[in-house]
C-alpha cells in the first residue's frame, strides 16, 4: 500500500544515531519568529547566511507573508577568526539602510561552536556609535545543536525580556502574558479574551498584525503589530506573568520572577476546554476581575458542540506529532472529549513530556505510546502497528496520511500547504470549537467517502 | 491597458540616475561595493560592462542568498532518488532541505528506490559538538544501511562539522570498507559542503560536481546500446520540467543517458561517461562536471536551453546538427512542426493581454536569463535582471573566464586536476568534424551570458537585496516581478504580481513546448488577475495613489 514512504518498515528498529523525518527543527527559526513579535524589530541571524535564508523561507511558506531578517553572512575567514567584524558591520548597515527600532540577534551552530560572545560584540558596536539613540540591539544564544525551534523561541523571549525589562519602582497593574510558540491568530485570541475580561496585559512576543497582515498596496517592513520596546521594559513592573507552555514560555517568566519579583504562573497552552478554563480563571485571579457573561457564553457553546457530536469523537484513535506544549494541551483536550491519542511524538527533547502526558491519560482507557526527541519515521511505524482514525500534525504528516489512508488535520508548525492557521485560532473556547469543527469534518468526510450506497447518510 | 507605466521607455540616463539615488542610502564602503554589482546594461557589440559577481555578501544587507550546503545537498544531490543522503549536523539543515525544492521524481515500479520523501540527519547534539560527531555519523550510516540496504549513501557536512574537525571522508571510507568486506555492494562518499564555504550556493555546486565526478561518474561500463546518446546536465526537474524535456527528446529519437540530476538515479551518474554529448541547461551549477567529462572521457559539451519555444527549437536543432544524421534532423523538424500550432494558438490569445508589459527577474544562477525568452515570446520586456550567486561568465559570457580572479573567500574550493582516462577517453568527433561544425557556426563549450542578451536600457544587478528590490518595484513598477519565496509576499503587498521562478508557485512544468504554454497562461493569470483591483476599499480616497498603480491600468 505504501507508495510515498515506501521504505518505512513496520518493524521498529532501535535507532541511536540516525534521525529520519524529524518532528522538530532547529533553534534559530523559533528565535526569528519571537523577534518578529517585537514592534519595529528586524531579526538578525549571526551565522552563515544559509540558516537565515532557510528560516525566512520556512516562516514565509507557513504564513504567506514577508519575513525580513538580516544575517552576518559568515565566510570561511570569519568562521575561523570570529564573526565580530561581520556583526558590527551588519548592525551599522541595518540601522543605516533598514532603520528598524530594534535588532534582535540570535546565533546558529556556527557562531556558537566558535564561541562568539554576542553581548560583547553588541557592546563594541554601541561604543563605536553604530547603534543610534533610541534604538536597541537585543540578543539571545540559540545553538542549533541543543533543544529545538521551541527552545530557540524560549531563548529569544528570555533574551528580549533580559535586555529590555527595567524596574521603574511603580507597579503598572498589568499582567504579562507570554503566549508561547503559537500562531498570530492565537495571540490575537488570547488578547481578545483578556480584553473581554478588562485585564490590562503585555503580550510578549506578539506576532498578530505582523504575520497575518493585510494587502493594501503598501509594503511595510515593520507592520503595526508587535510588543513595543516600552512595553517590554515595563514588563518588570507588572502584577504577574502568565507563561503559556512550559517549553516555550517558562524561562522568560521565571527570569522576571527571579530578577524583578514579578510572580509567574506557568500554564499549559489554552487549547481545549480544561486549559482555557484554567487560563481564564488564572487571569481572573491575577487581574482581580470577574469573568464576563460573554466568555461564559462562548464556553457554553463549546460544551454544547462537544455534546452534540460526542458520538463521533468517542473512542476514536488519534496520532499526534508536534511541539511539546501543543501536544500536552491537545492531548488533554482530546482525552476530555473521549478521543484516544494513542501515539504521541515530539521531536523536542525533555523527559518532562512523559510525566505530563501520563498525568493527562492516567484515567483514560488506553496507554499512549509516547516519545520525546522522536521522529515521524517512528510515528509512522507505530501507526503501521496500531492504526489510527486521525493524524494531527504539521504538513509533513501528509505523506503518512496518504500512504496509510488516514484523515489528516494540519496543526502546529509548519503548515505550508494550507491557509487559515494565521487567521483563525485554535486556542480559547472558540479555537477549541474550530478544532472540533475540523475533526468532525475530517472524520465525517471520510465516512461519506467510504460508506456504500445503502448506508450513505444525509444527516449526521 | 491603454496607458503604460511611465518607466517603460526608460533610458540609460534614467537608470544611471536611479542607481546613484539608490546608492546614496548606503554607508560609503557599501555604496562603493554595490556600485560594481548594480549595472546599467550597456551591451554594445556583445561586450557588456564588467560586473562584480561571486563576491562575499555584505553583512546585514538582507541578501536573497543561501549557503554551500544548500547548493550541494539541496540543489545537486537532492533530486537523486536512490541515494540515502545523510546530513551530518544539527537538525535544521536537513529539515529545511526536506522536500522544499520541487524536484519531481518518477520511480518506475512501486518497489523501486525512492528516498525523496525522507530527511536523514545525525541530529548533532551538544555532546557531538564537544566530543566530535564521527562515531555518531558512522553509527548513522550503519543504521541507514541496516534499514534501507541502499546502493549508495552520501554524507553532507554542515557548518559545525568543519569547525570541530569531524573527518566525514574517512568515516565514509571506513564504513564503505567495512560493508564491502562483508560482501555488501555499496558506495559511500562525503561532501565537505559546510555552509560558510565560498560566498553562496555556488561553492556547493562545485563541491557536488567534484565529488560526484570523483566517486561515481564512470563506475558503470555496462551501458545498453542506443542512438544519439546525450547527458542532460543542470536540469533538476522542478515541477516536472525534465519530464517534458525527456518526452520531447524521446519523440525525436534522442536517448538521455543521464540527467544531472532531475529524476535521476545513482546508476545514471555511474554511466554518465558513456554519452556522446553533454547538454548544459544550468551553466552555473554543472559546467564543472561537463568540463571534467570532456577532459577525462572526450565528451564535448554544448549549452542548451529548453525554457522558451524558440530556445527549445534552437537547442533541438543544435543537438541534431551535432549528430549530423539526416533521419534525426527530420524527426526533430517533425516534432517541432507538431508542437507549433498549439503554441501559436495560445500566444495569439494571450499576447493580446501581455504585449508591452514589463518584467523583472532575480533568480539563482540561470533562470534570470532563460526566462527572458518566455517573456519575449509574450511580447514582454525584461527591464531588470540578476542572479543571486552566478559568476561573471554567467553574466558576461565564458569569454571572460580568463580574466576572473578567484578571491580569498572562494580560494579554498577545490579545483580537481583531471587527466584523460587511458582506457575510456574517446574523442567523439574527429578534428575535421569539429572544424566543420565550428565553420557552420556551431558553438562548443560556450555560453554567451545574460548581459549581451539584454537590451541596453536595462539593469543587471548581482546579489540583489531587499532594499534594492523594494525601491526598484516602487520606482519602476514592473508588471511582474520574478524571484523566490522570500521576496514574493513583500512585492505582492505593493500590489505587484510576483511569480516564483524557483518553485514556480507549485505550478509548472515550464520547459519545452507544453511548458511554455503553461507559463504564458500563468503569467496572463497573474498580471491580469482581478485581485490587484481590490486593494483599496471604496471609501478610501487617496488622490496621491491614483494613476500610479499597475492595477488601475488594467
Amino acid at each position: 500500500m505504501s507508495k510515498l514512504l515506501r521504505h518505512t518498515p513496520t518493524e521498529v528498529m532501535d535507532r541511536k544515531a540516525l534521525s529520519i523525518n524529524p518532528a522538530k527543527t532547529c533553534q534559530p527559526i523559533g528565535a526569528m519568529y519571537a523577534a518578529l513579535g517585537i514592534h519595529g524589530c528586524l531579526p538578525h541571524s549571526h551565522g552563515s547566511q544559509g540558516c537565515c535564508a532557510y528560516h525566512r523561507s520556512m516562516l514565509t511558506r507557513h504564513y504567506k507573508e514577508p519575513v525580513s531578517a538580516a544575517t552576518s553572512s559568515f565566510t570561511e575567514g570569519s568562521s575561523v577568526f570570529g564573526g565580530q567584524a561581520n556583526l558590527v558591520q551588519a548592525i551599522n548597515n541595518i540601522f543605516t539602510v533598514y532603520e528598524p527600532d530594534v535588532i534582535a540577534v540570535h546565533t546558529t551552530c556556527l557562531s556558537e561552536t566558535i564561541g562568539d560572545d554576542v553581548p560583547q560584540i553588541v557592546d563594541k558596536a554601541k561604543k563605536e556609535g553604530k547603534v543610534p539613540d533610541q534604538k536597541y540591539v537585543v540578543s539571545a544564544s540559540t545553538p542549533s545543536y541543543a533543544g529545538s525551534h521551541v527552545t530557540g523561541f524560549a531563548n529569544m523571549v528570555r533574551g528580549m525580556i533580559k535586555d529590555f525589562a527595567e524596574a521603574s519602582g511603580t507597579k503598572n497593574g498589568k499582567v504579562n502574558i507570554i503566549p508561547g510558540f503559537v500562531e498570530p491568530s492565537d495571540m490575537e485570541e488570547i488578547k481578545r479574551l483578556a480584553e473581554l475580561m478588562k485585564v490590562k496585559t503585555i503580550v510578549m512576543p506578539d506576532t498578530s498584525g505582523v504575520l497575518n497582515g493585510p494587502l493594501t498596496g503598501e509594503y511595510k517592513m515593520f507592520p503595526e503589530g508587535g510588543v513595543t520596546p516600552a512595553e517590554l521594559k515595563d514588563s518588570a513592573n507588572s502584577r504577574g506573568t502568565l507563561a503559556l507552555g512550559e517549553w516555550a514560555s517558562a524561562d522568560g517568566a521565571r527570569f522576571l520572577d527571579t530578577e524583578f519579583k514579578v510572580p509567574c504562573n506557568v500554564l499549559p497552552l489554552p487549547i481545549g476546554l480544561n486549559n482555557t478554563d484554567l487560563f481564564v480563571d488564572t487571569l481572573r485571579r491575577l487581574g482581580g476581575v470577574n469573568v464576563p457573561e460573554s466568555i461564559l457564553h462562548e464556553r457554553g457553546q463549546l460544551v454544547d458542540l462537544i455534546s452534540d457530536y460526542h458520538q463521533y469523537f468517542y473512542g476514536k484513535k488519534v496520532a499526534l506529532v508536534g511541539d511539546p506544549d501543543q501536544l500536552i494541551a491537545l492531548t488533554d483536550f482530546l482525552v476530555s472529549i473521549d478521543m484516544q491519542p494513542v501515539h504521541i511524538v515530539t521531536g523536542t527533547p525533555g523527559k518532562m513530556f512523559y510525566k505530563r502526558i501520563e498525568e493527562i491519560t492516567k484515567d483514560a482507557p488506553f496507554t499512549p505510546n509516547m516519545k520525546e526527541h522522536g521522529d515521524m519515521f517512528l510515528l509512522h511505524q507505530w501507526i503501521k502497528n496500531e492504526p489510527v482514525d486521525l493524524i494531527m500534525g504539521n504538513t509533513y504528516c501528509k505523506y503518512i496520511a496518504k500512504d496509510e489512508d488516514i484523515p489528516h488535520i494540519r496543526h502546529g508548525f509548519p503548515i505550508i500547504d494550507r491557509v487559515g492557521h494565521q487567521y483563525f485560532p485554535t486556542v480559547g473556547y472558540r479555537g477549541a470549537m474550530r478544532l472540533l469543527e475540523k475533526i468532525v469534518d475530517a472524520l465525517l468526510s471520510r465516512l461519506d467517502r467510504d460508506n456504500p450506497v445503502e448506508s450513505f447518510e444525509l444527516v449526521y | 491597458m491603454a496607458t503604460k507605466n511611465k518607466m517603460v521607455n526608460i533610458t540609460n540616463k534614467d537608470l544611471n540616475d536611479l542607481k546613484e539615488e539608490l546608492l546614496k542610502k548606503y554607508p560609503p564602503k557599501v555604496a562603493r561595493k554595490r556600485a560594481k554589482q548594480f549595472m546599467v546594461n550597456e551591451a554594445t557589440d556583445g561586450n557588456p560592462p564588467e560586473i562584480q559577481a561571486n563576491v562575499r555578501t555584505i553583512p546585514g544587507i538582507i541578501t536573497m542568498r543561501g549557503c554551500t550546503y544548500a547548493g550541494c545537498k539541496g540543489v545537486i544531490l537532492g533530486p537523486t532518488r536512490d541515494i540515502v543522503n545523510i546530513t551530518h549536523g544539527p537538525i535544521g539543515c536537513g529539515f529545511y532541505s526536506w522536500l522544499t525544492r520541487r524536484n519531481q521524481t518518477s520511480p518506475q515500479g512501486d518497489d523501486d528506490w525512492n528516498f525523496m520523501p525522507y530527511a536523514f540527519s545525525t541530529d548533532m547534539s551538544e555532546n557531538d559538538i564537544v566530543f566530535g560527531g564521527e562515531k555518531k555519523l558512522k553509527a548513522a550510516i550503519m543504521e541507514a544501511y541496516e534499514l534501507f540496504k541502499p546502493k549508495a549513501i552520501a554524507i553532507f557536512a554542515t557548518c559545525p562539522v568543519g569547525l570541530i574537525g569531524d573527518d566525514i571522508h574517512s568515516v565514509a571510507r571506513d564504513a564503505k570498507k567495512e560493508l564491502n568486506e562483508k560482501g555488501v555492494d555499496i558506495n559511500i562518499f562525503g561532501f565537505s559542503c559546510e555552509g560558510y564555504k565560498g560566498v553562496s550556493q555556488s561553492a556547493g555546486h562545485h563541491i557536488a560536481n567534484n565529488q560526484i565526478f570523483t566517486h561515481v561518474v564512470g563506475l558503470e561500463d555496462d551501458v545498453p546500446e542506443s542512438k544519439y546518446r546525450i547527458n542532460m546536465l543542470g536540469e533538476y526537474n522542478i515541477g516536472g520540467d525534465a519530464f517534458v524535456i525527456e518526452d520531447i527528446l524521446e519523440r525525436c529519437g534522442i536517448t538521455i543517458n543521464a540527467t544531472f540530476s532531475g529524476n535521476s538515479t545513482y546508476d545514471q551518474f555511474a554511466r554518465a561517461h558513456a554519452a556522446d554529448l553533454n547538454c548544459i541547461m544550468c551553466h552555473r551549477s554543472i559546467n564543472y562536471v561537463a568540463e571534467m567529462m570532456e577532459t577525462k572521457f572526450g565528451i564535448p559539451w554544448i549549452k542548451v536551453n529548453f525554457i522558451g519555444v524558440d530556445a527549445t527549437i534552437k537547442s533541438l536543432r543544435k543537438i541534431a546538427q551535432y549528430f549530423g544524421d539526416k533521419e534525426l534532423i527530420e524527426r526533430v523538424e517533425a516534432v517541432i512542426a507538431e508542437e507549433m500550432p498549439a503554441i501559436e494558438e495560445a500566444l495569439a490569445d494571450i499576447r493580446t493581454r501581455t504585449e508591452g508589459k514589463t518584467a523583472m527577474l532575480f533568480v539563482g544562477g540561470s533562470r534570470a536569463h532563460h526566462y527572458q525568452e518566455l517573456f519575449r515570446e509574450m511580447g514582454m520586456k525584461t527591464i531588470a535582471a540578476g542572479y543571486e550567486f552566478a559568476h561573471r561568465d554567467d553574466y558576461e559570457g565564458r569569454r571572460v573566464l580568463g580574466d576572473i580572479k578567484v578571491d580569498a573567500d572562494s580560494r579554498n574550493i577545490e579545483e580537481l586536476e583531471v587527466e584523460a582516462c587511458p582506457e575510456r577517453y574517446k574523442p567523439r568527433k574527429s578534428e575535421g568534424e569539429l572544424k566543420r561544425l565550428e565553420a557552420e557556426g556551431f558553438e562548443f563549450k560556450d555560453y554567451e551570458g545574460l548581459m549581451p542578451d539584454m537590451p541596453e536600457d536595462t539593469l543587471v544587478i548581482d546579489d540583489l537585496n531587499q532594499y534594492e528590490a523594494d525601491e526598484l518595484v516602487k520606482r519602476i513598477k514592473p508588471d511582474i516581478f520574478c524571484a523566490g519565496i522570500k521576496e514574493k509576499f513583500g512585492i505582492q503587498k505593493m500590489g505587484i504580481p510576483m511569480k516564483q521562478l524557483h518553485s514556480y508557485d507549485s505550478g509548472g512544468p515550464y520547459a519545452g513546448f507544453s511548458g511554455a504554454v503553461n507559463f504564458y497562461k500563468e503569467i496572463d493569470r497573474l498580471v491580469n488577475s482581478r485581485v490587484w483591483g481590490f486593494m483599496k476599499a471604496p471609501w478610501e480616497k487617496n488622490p496621491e495613489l491614483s494613476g500610479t498603480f499597475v492595477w488601475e491600468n488594467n
Side-chain angles (χ1 to χ4, degrees), chain B residues 312-370:
Chain B
T312 300
I313 291 171
K314 264 188 223 155
S315 299
L316 288 173
R317 286 181 178 155
K318 210 166 159 185
I319 296 168
Q321 189 190 356
Y322 170 81
F323 288 105
D325 193 328
K326 189 160 168 283
E327 180 199 337
L328 175 62
I329 293 168
E330 280 168 4
R331 267 181 91 166
V332 161
E333 291 307 323
V335 168
I336 295 169
E338 264 168 49
E339 297 279 354
M340 287 316 286
I343 304 285
E344 279 154 15
E345 193 190 348
L347 274 179
D349 171 40
I350 284 157
R351 272 186 82 126
T352 60
R353 293 179 300 274
T354 54
E355 188 86 49
K357 289 192 186 290
T358 56
M360 292 186 178
L361 283 73
F362 293 93
V363 205
S366 86
R367 292 194 177 112
H369 184 193
H370 288 164

Side-chain angles (χ1 to χ4, degrees), chain A residues 104-225:
Chain A
V105 184
H106 61 260
T107 55
T108 68
C109 47
L110 171 51
S111 51
E112 286 293 332
T113 302
I114 65 173
D116 267 0
D117 181 350
V118 170
Q120 174 267 317
I121 300 174
V122 170
D123 270 352
K124 184 178 156 64
K126 280 182 188 157
K127 285 194 187 105
E128 288 176 6
K130 303 281 162 61
V131 181
D133 281 350
Q134 305 299 311
K135 304 269 184 178
Y136 308 92
V137 181
V138 299
S139 68
S141 161
T142 53
S144 316
Y145 44 75
S148 75
H149 56 296
V150 182
T151 323
F153 179 91
N155 285 340
M156 181 48 83
V157 171
R158 187 179 185 279
M160 66 177 80
I161 292 171
K162 181 170 174 288
D163 288 349
F164 270 118
E166 264 174 31
S168 67
T170 337
K171 288 280 169 193
N172 59 24
K174 293 180 179 177
V175 175
N176 300 324
I177 299 179
I178 303 177
F181 200 138
V182 295
E183 302 290 352
S185 48
D186 294 323
M187 300 189 186
E188 222 157 36
E189 178 65 7
I190 286 164
K191 286 195 292 186
R192 188 185 68 91
L193 287 170
E195 273 162 29
L196 284 173
M197 292 168 72
K198 299 196 165 52
V199 178
K200 286 189 177 141
T201 58
I202 297 172
V203 176
M204 52 187 189
D206 178 8
T207 56
S208 63
V210 180
L211 290 169
N212 56 0
L215 196 155
T216 61
E218 188 191 355
Y219 168 50
K220 286 184 182 162
M221 195 167 161
F222 305 107
E224 300 301 322

Side-chain angles (χ1 to χ4, degrees), chain B residues 404-459:
Chain B
I404 298 177
K405 289 182 198 72
V406 179
D407 71 7
D409 294 321
S410 300
R411 199 167 294 146
N412 287 345
I413 309 303
E414 190 186 11
E415 286 283 349
L416 294 186
E417 293 287 335
V418 181
E419 285 169 5
C421 174
E423 295 92 39
R424 284 174 288 178
Y425 182 89
K426 173 181 91 188
R428 266 41 177 201
K429 296 267 173 195
S430 69
E431 281 295 321
E433 283 170 322
L434 290 175
K435 286 256 158 58
R436 185 179 53 78
L437 279 167
E438 272 164 355
E440 286 173 19
F442 198 90
E443 287 167 340
F444 283 105
K445 53 191 301 176
D446 192 27
Y447 174 45
E448 87 282 10
L450 168 149
M451 292 169 96
D453 206 26
M454 286 182 78
E456 285 201 23
D457 47 0
T458 54
L459 287 170

Side-chain angles (χ1 to χ4, degrees), chain A residues 145-424:
Chain A
Y145 44 75
S148 75
H149 56 296
V150 182
T151 323
F153 179 91
N155 285 340
M156 181 48 83
V157 171
R158 187 179 185 279
M160 66 177 80
I161 292 171
K162 181 170 174 288
D163 288 349
F164 270 118
E166 264 174 31
S168 67
T170 337
K171 288 280 169 193
N172 59 24
K174 293 180 179 177
V175 175
N176 300 324
I177 299 179
I178 303 177
F181 200 138
V182 295
E183 302 290 352
S185 48
D186 294 323
M187 300 189 186
E188 222 157 36
E189 178 65 7
I190 286 164
K191 286 195 292 186
R192 188 185 68 91
L193 287 170
E195 273 162 29
L196 284 173
M197 292 168 72
K198 299 196 165 52
V199 178
K200 286 189 177 141
T201 58
I202 297 172
V203 176
M204 52 187 189
D206 178 8
T207 56
S208 63
V210 180
L211 290 169
N212 56 0
L215 196 155
T216 61
E218 188 191 355
Y219 168 50
K220 286 184 182 162
M221 195 167 161
F222 305 107
E224 300 301 322
V227 62
T228 63
E231 287 176 299
L232 280 168
K233 286 183 187 177
D234 199 24
S235 66
N237 308 308
S238 295
R239 300 168 78 133
T241 305
L242 265 182
L244 305 181
E246 177 77 38
W247 272 257
S249 304
D251 272 7
R254 289 193 183 118
F255 177 84
L256 280 171
D257 200 340
T258 320
E259 289 291 312
F260 301 102
K261 304 282 173 285
V262 179
C264 79
N265 286 262
V266 181
L267 302 183
L269 284 175
I271 292 175
L273 184 66
N274 297 332
N275 290 324
T276 305
D277 282 351
L278 187 59
F279 168 72
V280 170
D281 202 38
T282 313
L283 194 57
R284 173 184 70 91
R285 282 185 286 105
L286 261 178
V289 294
N290 291 316
V291 180
E293 198 59 37
S294 57
I295 290 182
L296 206 57
H297 183 77
E298 286 176 18
R299 184 182 187 280
Q301 288 176 322
L302 171 61
V303 178
D304 188 59
L305 200 166
I306 296 170
S307 80
D308 289 347
Y309 274 84
H310 184 259
Q311 70 188 89
Y312 302 109
F313 305 132
Y314 183 80
K316 292 290 187 299
K317 288 183 181 175
V318 190
L320 297 179
V321 57
D323 301 340
D325 293 330
Q326 291 277 353
L327 294 183
I328 287 164
L330 203 53
T331 300
D332 184 274
F333 183 37
L334 298 181
V335 167
S336 77
I337 60 173
D338 291 310
M339 293 182 83
Q340 302 192 357
V342 290
H343 311 302
I344 312 173
V345 170
T346 182
T348 298
K351 301 280 182 218
M352 202 200 317
F353 183 71
Y354 297 135
K355 197 170 148 250
R356 294 276 187 270
I357 300 288
E358 272 163 12
E359 282 163 12
I360 294 163
T361 55
K362 69 177 190 303
D363 297 326
F366 68 98
T367 309
N369 294 313
M370 309 179 271
K371 181 83 174 134
E372 53 88 40
H373 210 165
D375 56 33
M376 288 200 195
F377 188 80
L378 175 68
L379 181 79
H380 190 179
Q381 292 184 307
W382 279 351
I383 291 173
K384 282 174 181 285
N385 283 291
E386 185 184 353
V388 293
D389 302 295
L390 182 67
I391 180 167
M392 294 178 80
N394 68 24
T395 288
Y396 285 94
C397 294
K398 76 197 267 181
Y399 289 80
I400 302 175
K402 178 154 166 111
D403 273 356
E404 304 303 328
D405 198 19
I406 310 166
H408 170 208
I409 292 176
R410 283 160 183 80
H411 184 85
F413 178 85
I415 297 170
I416 51 184
D417 64 336
R418 291 292 189 275
V419 71
H421 46 283
Q422 66 271 59
Y423 304 123
F424 309 110

Side-chain angles (χ1 to χ4, degrees), chain B residues 213 216-233 254-260 266-279 289 292-294 296-300 322-323 421 423-428:
Chain B
F213 186 77
V216 190
V217 171
L219 287 184
E220 180 55 66
D221 281 321
D222 187 14
V223 183
E225 273 303 312
S226 59
K227 264 182 153 179
Y228 316 126
R229 188 152 52 203
I230 66 163
N231 292 330
M232 188 59 62
L233 304 187
I254 297 163
T255 307
I256 300 185
N257 175 64
T259 301
F260 282 58
Y266 176 85
D267 290 346
Q268 288 188 17
F269 294 147
R271 67 174 188 226
H273 64 296
D276 290 320
L277 178 67
N278 275 325
C279 298
V289 146
M292 292 188 286
M293 279 203 255
E294 177 154 21
K296 188 168 178 181
F297 304 112
I299 311 172
Y322 170 81
F323 288 105
C421 174
E423 295 92 39
R424 284 174 288 178
Y425 182 89
K426 173 181 91 188
R428 266 41 177 201

Side-chain angles (χ1 to χ4, degrees), chain A residues 26-138:
Chain A
C26 67
Q27 285 209 36
I29 195 170
M32 186 181 282
Y33 179 61
L36 289 164
I38 304 174
H39 180 70
C41 176
L42 187 72
H44 181 88
S45 170
H46 186 52
S48 65
Q49 66 210 11
C51 313
C52 186
Y54 274 144
H55 299 142
R56 291 177 64 200
S57 298
M58 196 50 94
L59 284 169
T60 301
R61 289 185 187 111
H62 181 75
Y63 289 113
K64 319 295 175 200
E65 288 285 313
V67 173
S68 296
T71 161
S72 297
S73 294
F74 273 58
T75 57
E76 190 153 14
S78 25
S79 305
V80 176
F81 301 111
Q84 174 167 294
N86 292 57
L87 184 51
V88 171
Q89 204 190 337
I91 289 171
N92 187 37
N93 288 338
I94 292 166
F95 280 127
T96 311
V97 179
Y98 294 104
E99 306 176 49
D101 296 329
V102 185
I103 298 173
V105 184
H106 61 260
T107 55
T108 68
C109 47
L110 171 51
S111 51
E112 286 293 332
T113 302
I114 65 173
D116 267 0
D117 181 350
V118 170
Q120 174 267 317
I121 300 174
V122 170
D123 270 352
K124 184 178 156 64
K126 280 182 188 157
K127 285 194 187 105
E128 288 176 6
K130 303 281 162 61
V131 181
D133 281 350
Q134 305 299 311
K135 304 269 184 178
Y136 308 92
V137 181
V138 299

Side-chain angles (χ1 to χ4, degrees), chain A residues 3 16 19 21 98-99 216, chain B residues 25 61 110 119 121 143 536:
Chain A
K3 294 244 163 74
K16 294 202 161 46
S19 155
N21 295 0
Y98 294 104
E99 306 176 49
T216 61
Chain B
K25 179 94 176 166
I61 206 70
D110 283 354
S121 172
E143 286 176 7
K536 294 293 167 212

